[in-house]
């Protein structure tokens, strides 16, 4: 299964530009944010030029068109992850907001409502995460534990970049209220055993939230197959616009959860003394939502569906295998996490002996190669691996074997410049 990468690259206008005084752009930072195909860009332009109006609130034609685009995007997002019903899909501005939505509901569930008992936390209750988490799937749970008196516990990470699940029976117990974990690490590319962990959590009556920001854009993801109760991803990492994300949750859970924000559209009735709320998903979508961005997300989903996620994943695995081999041949380069393509995605973080990651990134940038340097919003993971920071290259459907080779050559140039080769 192969992609016509030359044809695909023509769909992405930004890949034609040059940087740093005429260097061809080699974009290896898609784990941070992906580039956008012309179809998505044109969809945003067309919406603002032809259909711009607020949704649900008027009976004129423009509002009807905008509402159709927005709710149509919800249907496509649900289908993209195998959701049973589009009403299980909540639009947020990104996955961080989606995770905070669940954390807020758990911290503010009413003690008077027996149905919300599974969302209530207090001293003696526990939330389980992993050392591999992006800050977006760690900080909200730290804050929730601080507010409620619950305890935060976590799976540790082995030196080869895998979750240590050997103590799962001691870590996930009858005290566990929720397990939150990343599907694919944004630093290591490691794909975690979500199904196994979800089964252990459900056996103890705990809920499971999955951060799928790095997996949904790159491979087929089915929420039922993973065993998730909540799952989030974000549009800008999957060829869509910024400002739009998705939180999926099982319908019965969304019905029990209290709203996240108050305002227009999320209400059923409003009196001066009290209000009642709309059913999911609208009770979690207060105010004017990212309407144009939802239309852009739908266009991105259509694009990825047409290319084919299986084909994209296979292409990325070939790039990944080539990159792992190429970097392994460079003396003084240490790859963080798994060093073979099996069980990992196409993001590689690495160290170069004697050269700070930011300096590696700067030399690469001077040659037109865009990567990321730093802790990648995963400080605890870097500390667990004994490093302060790393350089990360991440690949997507528009990258080529030649760009992988340019990355390896760029690293060698950084070594030569800093005289560590």
């Amino acid at each position: 299964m192969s992609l016509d990468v030359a044809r695909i690259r023509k769909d992405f206008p930004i890949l034609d530009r040059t940087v740093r005084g005429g260097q061809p752009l080699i974009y290896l930072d898609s784990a941070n944010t992906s580039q956008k195909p012309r179809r998505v860009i044109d969809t945003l332009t067309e919406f603002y030029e032809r259909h711009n109006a607020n949704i649900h609130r008027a009976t004129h034609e423009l509002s009807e068109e905008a509402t159709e685009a927005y709710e149509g995007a919800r249907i496509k997002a649900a289908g993209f992850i195998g959701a049973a019903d589009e009403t299980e899909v909540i639009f947020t501005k990104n996955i961080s907001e989606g995770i905070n939505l669940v954390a807020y509901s758990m911290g503010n569930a009413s003690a008077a409502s027996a149905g919300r008992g599974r969302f209530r936390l207090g001293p003696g209750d526990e939330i389980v995460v992993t050392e591999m988490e992006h800050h977006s799937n760690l900080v909200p749970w730290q804050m929730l534990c601080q507010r409620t008196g619950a305890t935060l516990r976590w799976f540790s990470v082995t030196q080869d970049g895998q979750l240590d699940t050997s103590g799962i029976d001691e870590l996930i117990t009858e005290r566990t209220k929720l397990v939150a974990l990343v599907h694919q690490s944004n630093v290591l590319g490691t794909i975690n055993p979500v199904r196994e962990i979800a089964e252990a959590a459900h056996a103890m009556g705990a809920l499971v939230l999955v951060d799928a920001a790095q997996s949904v854009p790159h491979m087929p993801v089915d929420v039922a197959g993973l065993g998730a109760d909540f799952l989030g991803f974000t549009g800008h990492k999957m060829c869509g616009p910024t400002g739009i994300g998705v939180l999926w949750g099982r319908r019965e859970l969304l019905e029990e959860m209290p709203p996240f924000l108050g305002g227009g559209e999320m209400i059923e009735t409003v009196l001066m003394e009290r209000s009642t709320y709309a059913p999911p998903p609208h009770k979690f979508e207060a105010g004017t939502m990212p309407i144009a961005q939802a239309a852009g997300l739908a266009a991105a989903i259509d694009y990825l569906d047409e290319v084919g996620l299986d084909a994209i994943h296979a292409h990325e695995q070939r790039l990944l295998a080539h990159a792992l081999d190429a970097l392994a041949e460079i003396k003084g380069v240490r790859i963080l996490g798994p060093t073979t393509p099996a069980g990992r995605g196409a993001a590689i973080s690495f160290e170069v002996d004697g050269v700070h990651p930011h300096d590696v990134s700067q030399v690469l940038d001077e040659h037109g190669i865009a990567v990321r340097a730093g802790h990648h919003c995963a400080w605890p993971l870097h500390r667990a691996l004994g490093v302060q920071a790393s350089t990360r290259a991440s690949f997507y459907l528009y990258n080529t074997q030649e760009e992988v080779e340019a990355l390896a050559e760029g690293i060698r140039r950084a070594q030569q410049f800093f005289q560590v080769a």
Side-chain angles (χ1 to χ4, degrees):
M1 186 178 300
S2 61
L3 296 182
D4 186 347
V5 181
R7 181 191 63 77
I8 286 172
R9 288 177 65 85
K10 292 178 182 178
D11 294 337
F12 292 81
I14 201 169
L15 299 182
D16 288 334
R17 70 160 291 181
T18 59
V19 295
R20 299 302 183 199
Q23 298 279 351
L25 172 64
I26 298 176
Y27 189 78
L28 304 181
D29 196 23
S30 293
N32 197 358
T33 196
S34 64
Q35 296 303 336
K36 322 306 175 191
R38 173 66 68 185
R39 179 185 303 188
V40 171
I41 298 168
D42 289 347
T43 296
L44 294 170
T45 300
E46 181 186 4
F47 180 86
Y48 285 123
E49 289 182 345
R50 303 281 300 170
H51 312 293
N52 186 48
N54 217 326
I55 55 174
H56 302 143
R57 303 182 183 183
T59 57
H60 57 74
E61 186 170 358
L62 292 184
S63 180
E64 291 173 354
E65 291 171 352
T67 300
E68 182 178 358
Y70 182 78
E71 294 299 340
R74 195 190 307 277
I75 293 171
K76 288 184 178 180
F80 197 63
I81 56 172
D85 191 291
E86 69 271 14
T87 63
E88 296 181 327
V89 167
I90 300 163
F91 283 131
T92 62
K93 68 175 181 289
N94 48 46
I95 186 173
S96 299
E97 184 179 275
I99 294 169
N100 276 274
L101 188 160
V102 178
Y104 176 94
S105 292
M106 292 189 73
N108 293 275
S110 170
S113 175
R116 292 177 181 171
R118 73 181 83 189
F119 295 111
R120 295 186 63 247
L121 287 127
D125 294 325
E126 296 178 349
I127 293 175
V128 175
V129 294
T130 83
E131 268 187 322
M132 202 179 286
E133 299 310 313
H134 188 284
H135 297 163
S136 293
N137 202 28
L138 175 60
V139 177
W141 308 117
Q142 292 174 339
M143 296 168 68
L144 179 58
C145 287
Q146 290 165 3
R147 292 197 305 269
T148 62
T151 300
L152 189 69
R153 304 185 69 193
W154 54 86
F155 289 94
S156 60
V157 175
T158 65
Q159 286 302 301
D160 61 352
Q162 305 289 344
L163 288 185
D164 181 359
T165 59
S166 60
I168 189 170
D169 292 336
E170 290 75 37
L171 193 59
I172 299 177
T173 70
E174 67 279 357
R175 295 184 299 275
T176 307
K177 298 298 290 282
L178 178 132
V179 178
L181 76 159
V182 65
H183 188 192
Q184 177 179 308
S185 169
N186 72 306
V187 177
L188 308 175
T190 306
I191 298 173
N192 288 320
V194 172
R195 181 77 192 191
E196 172 193 341
I197 293 172
E199 288 175 352
H202 290 153
M204 294 296 167
L207 299 172
V208 176
L209 180 143
V210 177
D211 171 358
Q214 297 291 338
S215 57
V216 164
H218 301 282
M219 67 182 76
V221 171
D222 178 78
V223 290
L226 285 178
D229 298 299
F230 301 97
L231 180 141
F233 59 96
T234 195
H236 73 94
K237 296 184 190 295
M238 52 183 289
C239 300
T242 56
I244 183 79
V246 168
L247 173 69
W248 168 86
R250 289 197 288 116
R251 173 76 188 200
E252 62 270 25
L253 297 176
L254 298 180
E255 289 174 344
E256 294 177 18
M257 289 165 56
F260 177 41
L261 300 171
E265 290 304 309
M266 51 76 66
I267 49 83
E268 184 180 57
T269 61
V270 177
L271 305 174
M272 288 307 298
E273 301 85 1
R274 65 187 183 278
S275 298
T276 60
Y277 308 120
H282 297 292
K283 76 171 177 179
F284 300 105
E285 296 180 355
T288 298
M289 295 296 290
I291 308 164
Q293 290 83 351
L297 176 62
I301 289 171
D302 284 341
Y303 183 82
L304 294 176
D305 274 338
E306 289 177 15
V307 175
L309 283 171
D310 285 324
I312 291 170
H313 183 62
H315 172 68
E316 290 178 3
Q317 288 297 106
R318 287 190 288 270
L319 294 177
L320 173 63
H322 189 37
L324 289 171
D325 288 343
L327 269 61
E329 292 176 359
I330 305 174
K331 187 178 180 180
V333 171
R334 174 198 173 196
I335 296 170
L336 304 182
T339 55
T340 63
R344 64 164 297 158
I348 302 176
S349 295
F350 57 92
E351 287 186 292
V352 179
D353 289 347
V355 187
H356 193 279
H358 288 98
D359 292 329
V360 175
S361 176
Q362 185 173 357
V363 172
L364 291 172
D365 181 54
E366 290 171 357
H367 293 88
I369 303 169
V371 297
R372 183 174 178 182
H375 52 70
H376 319 309
C377 295
W379 256 349
L381 174 57
H382 278 80
R383 291 193 183 100
L385 296 174
V387 297
Q388 290 298 311
S390 62
T391 307
R392 184 186 68 193
S394 51
F395 310 105
Y396 207 8
L397 73 165
Y398 37 65
N399 292 123
T400 67
Q401 298 277 351
E402 292 76 15
E403 290 178 325
V404 171
E405 291 157 11
L407 169 67
E409 179 59 26
I411 294 170
R412 291 189 177 94
R413 288 176 175 173
Q415 290 177 317
Q416 292 166 1
F417 182 85
F418 289 98
Q419 300 180 348
V420 298

